[in-house]
Amino acid sequence: MDQDQNAPLREDVRLLGEELGAVLREQAGEQLFDTVETIRQVAVESRSHGEMQGGRLRELLDPLDDPTLLEVARAFSQFLNLANLAEQRHRERLRRHHQRFPGDPDTDRGLRQVLAELKKANVSQDKVREVLQDLSVELVLTAHPTEVTRRTLIRKYDQMADLLAELDRPDLNDEEAENLRRHLREQILSAWSTDEIRRERPTPVDEAKWGFATIEQSLWHAVPQGMREIESELKLAGLPDLPSDWVPIRFASWMGGDRDGNPNVTHKVTRQVLTLARWMAADLYLRDVENLLADLSMHRASDELLARTGPSTEPYRLLLRAVRDRLRNTRALMEARVNGSAEPEGDIYSSGSELYEELSLIDRSLREVGLAAIAEGQLKDTLRRLNCFGITLLRLDIRQESTRHADAVDAITRYLDLGSYADWGEKVKQKFLLAELESRRPLVDKAFFDSEFCTPEVREVLETCRVIAEQGPEGLGAYVISMARTSSDVLAVMLLQKIAGVSEPMRVVPLFETLDDLDNAFDTMSALLEIPFYRERVREGQEVMIGYSDSAKDAGFLGAAWAQFRAQESLTGIFREHNIPLTLFHGRGGSISRGGSPTRMSLLSQPPGSVAGRIRVTEQGEMIRFKYGRPSVAAYNLEQYVAATLEATLLPPAEPRPEWRAQMDQLTDVSVRAYREVVQDDPALVSYLRTVTPETELSRLALGSRPARRKPGGGVETLRAIPWVFAWTQMRLMLPAWLGTGAALENGLAHAPDTLRAMSDQWPFFQTVVDMLEMVLAKSDPRVASWYEERLTDDPELQRLGKELRSRLSRTVDALGQLTGRESLLDNNPVMRWSIRVRDPYTDPLHLLQAELMDRLRHREEDPELESALMVTIAGIAAGMRNTG
């Protein structure tokens, strides 16, 4: 893309910076403005001259008192949020550019380009249509706590983005432009006057409401908008029409269902979240129906519709009033259930098919009497929403750790005097579980729930299954078993659902997340597929979840990536042999060490044949806002998923060459050893993490409802993957994303440089590894990391480790440069390089401030003002880094 097309982004950043400066002058006074501006200029000069020693910045920051430190931190944090807003707005511009100039090689590859490539490859239109008709993209919104910006502020930033969009209009006169700038300054003032920090940790229900708000404010509009654009591209390519209500995209959620390590998610919470989702869905459809009532005033109708309404001059309105009343009753019932009040009488919608039947009757009638153009309007959008969101808004997944299920079955076998399930071997467990699954008699009686064996933990597992039974399948998705290791882990969940009386069981999805689990995934699923009962149960399809977070924490980025690739490859093969459709569920995060990467890049880097028209992906934390927070950007990202899934299915990458596989085995052996010799074997690592990074301070930030650790105390193994990544990102060492990879690249370049370069040039999997590694290395900064060390420790062992880590980072950058042949990181991506550089003068002071505040707080009992300042630096640096966790 022409570099001049980034000029509007630079102009927006300049404009927002000027307006923030004006607000600072007005609200905090000239002295604070001058202090902030001086610090910024010194940071710019330090970066431009390559000094980066931090000495001059520290001289400016050290004398500041606590209240001033807080205000300085707020100023720099606010600018970084405004820079993100400008980039979000610029993505909307780029999307419009993509629509106008779809052949531009520098915009994301959209559906038009994919359809053209398919035509060039002689893929028949019938084949393309067949794949599209069955295409399934399910995006799973999770509550993983990497979104640090308050919803209150997000709304203000959205309003600012709307004002920037208005300022782009070419027909503005001077007066209108000045008025828009005045409104922009008002919004910046409002944001400046708002507390940046969540003071109370959100509950799981709060998190679910946040997910509902994303649907209400953005995705509800983005889905029909995106589908119309997809439909236009298909028509342009001359493809046969798909059904008018075709929607290949669905949404699910973990918010209120993910109980793995989160004691705050209980069966009562899950029930409440499911009910709230039904309430929100009824409310949103009610708004649609009110609009349809206003528009569908025509009298011509089909005999089929008139047979339902009787003679009428406004038959559509007659039917829609009945639909409206039923939706109101549904909403009132859900509201009563949430509030625990008396349930009202009245006919409700208990399934999506009931609402669909009535709306599709109107659709058929309009088309039959020559009013198809009206049917193609709002009604079509509503039908598509219904096919996407159902009447439950989202399908809620349940996630629980495998040992909790084993404990529940163990309590039952001990109650029945059958012995301890926990002590049995795998074959004995499997035989027992299968016998009970095929038995018609109940396994436990009511007395079990009053017995000593039914502990609160066991009761909670069984009560969760009871909620599944009472809710029915429409609002539920997958039952995900974390730390799944054996076939009995899967069968146990199937049995627990049977015990609870679930008539239509949730599909049971094993999650393979550590290196060993990924390596053993083939054996686990093979053992299940050898069981005729199980094969029959999954004949229509099996879902398997691939974990990115814990595998990377266990083995490092490169070792995990190759294990994930091999696991997917082997699973794809065995399910193909059994002729059972396989859906791979990718548990990705925003950072590269947790699987984050652009949509097309991530899908085309999967093993050939593994996508097969079906994909399920988690969308987490701040990535939900960046990708789906605004309708036009969300619509674009939905099209990207459809295009990339189609491309990965019909134009999959070639099989990796044998020498590439051998080289990857060698690379990962070196990488895993190098990673583990630091993370697992160096006794100073845990102390360094807790002393030099803000790992312990992160627990003060009310990010999410889930505890930062699976268990109190303990070492790295007890720390969740998100705070593990978040802590290293805050001080710019980014260790989880590259540790071990540099040693592997050095080894490859020394022994097989030609093979390594061929992999980098020709293999999408390895290309993605290299590109994402380059991005994260560009965001890392060993000199910033050294500031933390200088301020926070004088322990020789920690200083020794810090020096070694920075040396390893430097060698990784050098090795990557040798592989790519580029002199500087991101030479091939000037937009991203500019994005990082424009933030550095604002993140540098925040890093120094953070280290200073950590030191001050560690030497004081309690200081609310300093704690607030520290939280602001954490939020500000997170905004500067973008993909924090």
Side-chain angles (χ1 to χ4, degrees):
M1 187 173 62
D2 190 330
Q3 187 65 19
D4 285 342
Q5 285 175 308
N6 292 309
L9 170 59
R10 293 192 294 274
E11 178 58 28
D12 281 348
V13 170
R14 183 196 61 75
L15 170 63
L16 291 167
E18 283 181 3
E19 295 299 338
L20 175 61
V23 166
L24 279 179
R25 271 200 175 98
E26 175 192 304
Q27 295 295 308
E30 286 289 338
Q31 186 173 351
L32 181 70
F33 173 82
D34 290 343
T35 299
V36 169
E37 186 58 20
T38 302
I39 292 168
R40 187 190 69 81
Q41 287 174 355
V42 168
V44 170
E45 290 168 14
S46 176
R47 283 279 175 179
S48 60
H49 296 143
E51 299 168 8
M52 270 296 294
Q53 299 304 313
R56 291 180 65 201
L57 279 174
R58 194 173 286 120
E59 287 171 9
L60 292 169
L61 294 171
D62 281 349
L64 301 180
D65 59 22
D66 293 354
T68 307
L69 280 181
L70 173 59
E71 293 300 280
V72 169
R74 293 187 68 229
F76 284 103
S77 178
Q78 193 64 255
F79 175 82
L80 289 164
N81 277 299
L82 295 177
N84 284 346
L85 148 68
E87 286 199 14
Q88 182 92 338
R89 167 64 198 134
H90 194 55
R91 277 203 296 279
E92 295 180 60
R93 281 195 200 97
L94 294 183
R95 179 170 180 274
R96 291 182 64 80
H97 176 87
H98 167 78
Q99 289 172 316
R100 292 173 62 203
F101 307 105
D104 190 325
D106 292 316
T107 60
D108 279 349
R109 185 182 176 91
L111 186 58
R112 188 177 302 185
Q113 293 73 51
V114 171
L115 293 171
E117 288 293 326
L118 289 167
K119 185 175 181 181
K120 195 183 299 183
N122 294 317
V123 179
S124 74
Q125 291 200 326
D126 287 343
K127 181 63 177 174
V128 175
R129 188 188 187 281
E130 178 190 333
V131 171
L132 281 170
Q133 181 147 355
D134 295 330
L135 202 73
S136 174
V137 175
E138 189 162 24
L139 305 175
V140 184
L141 310 181
T142 80
H144 285 161
T146 58
E147 173 58 87
V148 296
T149 308
R150 291 182 63 202
R151 272 177 54 193
T152 298
L153 284 167
I154 290 171
R155 280 194 289 268
K156 297 182 192 300
Y157 297 142
D158 283 344
Q159 289 168 334
M160 293 180 211
D162 291 338
L163 290 167
L164 289 179
E166 283 291 299
L167 282 165
D168 271 352
R169 281 177 40 205
D171 61 340
L172 281 180
N173 59 41
D174 291 344
E175 184 179 350
E176 288 170 328
E178 183 56 39
N179 198 37
L180 288 169
R181 283 196 61 156
R182 180 174 58 79
H183 285 309
L184 184 63
R185 186 178 300 183
E186 287 170 6
Q187 287 299 323
I188 293 173
L189 170 60
S190 178
W192 174 257
S193 306
T194 300
D195 190 357
E196 299 93 334
I197 305 302
R198 273 191 216 105
R199 299 295 169 178
E200 295 181 9
R201 191 172 290 278
T203 67
V205 174
D206 292 333
E207 291 170 334
K209 288 178 179 176
W210 180 77
F212 301 160
T214 302
I215 292 177
E216 178 186 17
Q217 294 162 15
S218 178
L219 290 170
W220 194 255
H221 311 285
V223 166
Q225 178 185 338
M227 287 308 304
R228 287 184 181 278
E229 289 161 7
I230 289 169
E231 190 176 54
S232 296
E233 294 296 344
L234 299 180
K235 282 182 179 172
L236 194 64
L239 280 161
D241 287 342
L242 286 155
S244 64
D245 55 1
W246 170 70
V247 183
I249 297 154
R250 302 286 186 277
F251 291 93
S253 174
W254 279 13
M255 301 177 188
D258 181 10
R259 58 238 314 122
D260 177 25
N262 189 348
N264 300 308
V265 179
T266 65
H267 70 279
K268 291 180 180 177
V269 163
T270 297
R271 183 184 287 118
Q272 184 180 1
V273 166
L274 285 163
T275 307
L276 281 168
R278 287 282 309 274
W279 182 94
M280 174 61 81
D283 189 65
L284 288 170
Y285 288 120
L286 196 50
R287 297 179 210 177
D288 275 21
V289 168
E290 294 281 11
N291 288 332
L292 289 170
L293 260 168
D295 286 353
L296 299 187
S297 56
M298 54 288 306
H299 64 275
R300 292 205 313 272
S302 66
D303 292 341
E304 181 190 18
L305 188 133
L306 291 172
R308 173 77 181 274
T309 63
S312 171
T313 56
E314 293 184 337
Y316 299 102
R317 283 181 167 172
L318 206 60
L319 179 53
L320 284 168
R321 286 190 190 103
V323 172
R324 179 183 62 186
D325 292 344
R326 206 167 163 188
L327 282 169
R328 284 175 174 167
N329 292 342
T330 306
R331 186 177 64 177
L333 176 63
M334 297 306 146
E335 187 171 345
R337 287 179 178 174
V338 169
N339 295 331
S341 54
E343 296 188 2
E345 298 291 327
D347 195 15
I348 68 158
Y349 287 111
S350 46
S351 73
S353 60
E354 293 172 348
L355 178 57
Y356 184 86
E357 181 185 339
E358 296 185 311
L359 294 178
S360 59
L361 171 58
I362 295 173
D363 179 74
R364 287 195 302 275
S365 174
L366 288 169
R367 294 178 190 279
E368 186 178 320
V369 299
L371 298 174
I374 293 171
E376 287 288 311
Q378 288 189 67
L379 179 60
K380 184 172 184 173
D381 289 348
T382 299
L383 285 168
R384 279 182 161 158
R385 285 173 178 138
L386 190 52
N387 276 347
C388 177
F389 299 106
I391 60 158
T392 58
L393 200 66
L394 293 156
R395 287 184 181 270
L396 186 68
D397 282 4
I398 303 294
R399 184 169 74 137
Q400 182 59 281
E401 205 258 334
S402 59
T403 58
R404 293 291 300 274
H405 309 127
D407 290 346
V409 177
D410 182 70
I412 291 169
T413 60
R414 287 188 291 111
Y415 169 74
L416 296 171
D417 286 329
L418 297 175
S420 174
Y421 175 86
D423 295 338
W424 299 347
E426 177 62 19
K427 290 291 184 186
V428 179
K429 288 180 179 178
Q430 190 182 106
K431 183 179 178 182
F432 167 76
L433 294 167
L434 284 169
E436 292 303 328
L437 280 165
E438 294 185 88
S439 171
R440 293 188 178 184
R441 62 166 174 76
L443 183 61
V444 294
D445 53 23
K446 290 182 180 179
F448 169 74
F449 291 92
D450 298 322
S451 72
E452 62 182 311
F453 300 96
C454 190
T455 64
E457 292 77 17
V458 169
R459 182 181 297 276
E460 178 56 40
V461 169
L462 294 172
E463 291 289 357
T464 296
C465 291
R466 281 182 172 178
V467 170
I468 295 168
E470 74 188 26
Q471 291 291 327
E474 200 163 338
L476 295 165
Y479 195 121
V480 179
I481 311 168
S482 58
M483 296 297 171
R485 296 195 164 93
T486 62
S487 56
S488 62
D489 289 335
V490 174
L491 296 172
V493 175
M494 295 170 69
L495 179 59
L496 289 168
Q497 290 191 71
K498 178 176 181 278
I499 289 169
V502 180
S503 58
E504 295 183 63
M506 294 178 73
R507 63 186 186 275
V508 181
V509 177
L511 163 55
F512 301 110
E513 44 194 334
T514 67
L515 191 62
D516 287 344
D517 293 346
L518 286 165
D519 287 342
N520 294 328
F522 176 83
D523 291 339
T524 301
M525 298 314 296
S526 294
L528 282 166
L529 290 173
E530 287 171 7
I531 303 168
F533 170 85
Y534 188 81
R535 277 202 311 276
E536 190 56 37
R537 273 290 187 97
V538 298
R539 181 58 58 196
E540 297 302 313
Q542 169 78 58
E543 185 176 317
V544 175
M545 186 169 182
I546 303 296
Y548 288 74
S549 304
D550 284 297
S551 56
K553 182 166 158 279
D554 178 34
F557 166 56
L558 190 63
W562 184 229
Q564 291 148 11
F565 185 95
R566 286 185 288 109
Q568 292 177 65
E569 197 172 44
S570 64
L571 290 169
T572 299
I574 189 174
F575 279 95
R576 186 187 295 122
E577 284 175 23
H578 284 86
N579 198 30
I580 295 172
L582 173 66
T583 300
L584 289 166
F585 180 11
H586 299 269
R588 296 178 178 275
S591 61
I592 77 158
S593 54
R594 299 186 58 242
S597 62
T599 300
R600 178 174 181 264
M601 186 186 289
S602 67
L603 287 182
L604 287 182
S605 66
Q606 307 306 318
S610 65
V611 175
R614 295 176 305 281
I615 194 77
R616 205 166 190 254
V617 184
T618 53
E619 295 286 12
Q620 301 181 359
E622 78 279 7
M623 302 313 294
I624 294 175
R625 174 160 61 103
F626 291 148
K627 292 170 72 173
Y628 308 109
R630 293 182 62 77
S632 64
V633 174
Y636 176 63
N637 279 300
L638 297 178
E639 186 216 327
Q640 287 290 302
Y641 264 115
V642 170
T645 306
L646 182 65
E647 183 177 10
T649 301
L650 291 175
L651 295 174
E655 293 280 351
R657 298 176 190 168
E659 63 267 28
W660 294 354
R661 290 180 178 280
Q663 182 61 28
M664 275 307 302
D665 288 338
Q666 176 67 23
L667 290 173
T668 52
D669 283 346
V670 174
S671 175
V672 172
R673 277 201 311 273
Y675 177 85
R676 287 180 171 172
E677 73 184 17
V678 173
V679 172
Q680 295 183 2
D681 301 338
D682 194 317
L685 191 277
V686 172
S687 181
Y688 187 93
L689 173 69
R690 293 180 181 162
T691 304
V692 179
T693 84
E695 185 264 331
T696 55
E697 284 78 9
L698 283 175
S699 62
R700 304 184 193 193
L701 196 60
L703 283 175
S705 66
R706 194 169 68 173
R709 291 182 177 275
R710 285 190 169 90
K711 297 173 184 174
V716 168
E717 74 284 352
T718 68
L719 189 66
R720 288 195 173 277
I722 290 171
W724 165 250
V725 173
F726 208 125
W728 293 108
T729 302
Q730 285 282 305
M731 45 90 75
R732 297 288 282 275
L733 203 53
M734 321 293 275
L735 179 134
W738 58 263
L739 183 62
T741 308
L745 293 180
E746 287 176 340
N747 182 279
L749 288 164
H751 296 100
D754 292 341
T755 301
L756 205 62
R757 291 193 172 94
M759 291 162 62
S760 181
D761 290 341
Q762 300 169 39
W763 187 13
F765 164 76
F766 197 68
Q767 287 171 345
T768 299
V769 167
V770 170
D771 287 349
M772 299 313 294
L773 179 64
E774 184 166 19
M775 183 274 287
V776 81
L777 289 175
K779 291 186 175 183
S780 67
D781 198 316
R783 291 168 296 189
V784 169
S786 70
W787 295 348
Y788 285 78
E789 195 177 305
E790 291 166 13
R791 192 74 184 93
L792 296 166
T793 186
D794 54 8
D795 184 327
E797 267 300 286
L798 301 192
Q799 291 171 343
R800 184 267 311 163
L801 177 58
K803 184 177 180 182
E804 181 185 333
L805 293 176
R806 292 192 296 278
S807 171
R808 288 179 184 242
L809 174 58
S810 177
R811 286 165 52 193
T812 303
V813 173
D814 290 344
L816 184 66
Q818 288 180 50
L819 175 62
T820 63
R822 293 191 278 272
E823 289 187 14
S824 301
L825 294 169
L826 296 180
D827 270 355
N828 64 329
N829 193 337
V831 178
M832 182 172 287
R833 191 175 65 213
W834 178 85
S835 172
I836 294 170
R837 286 180 178 173
V838 80
R839 286 168 164 76
D840 281 338
Y842 297 87
T843 53
D844 287 349
L846 286 175
H847 288 301
L848 280 167
L849 275 169
Q850 187 175 87
E852 173 65 27
L853 290 162
M854 287 165 63
D855 185 62
R856 291 190 191 184
L857 278 167
R858 288 173 183 181
H859 291 91
R860 299 188 191 181
E861 289 295 319
E862 273 190 25
D863 191 319
E865 198 160 46
L866 282 190
E867 285 204 10
S868 289
L870 178 62
M871 297 305 106
V872 170
T873 66
I874 291 172
I877 293 167
M881 293 296 99
R882 291 293 293 275
N883 44 358
T884 57

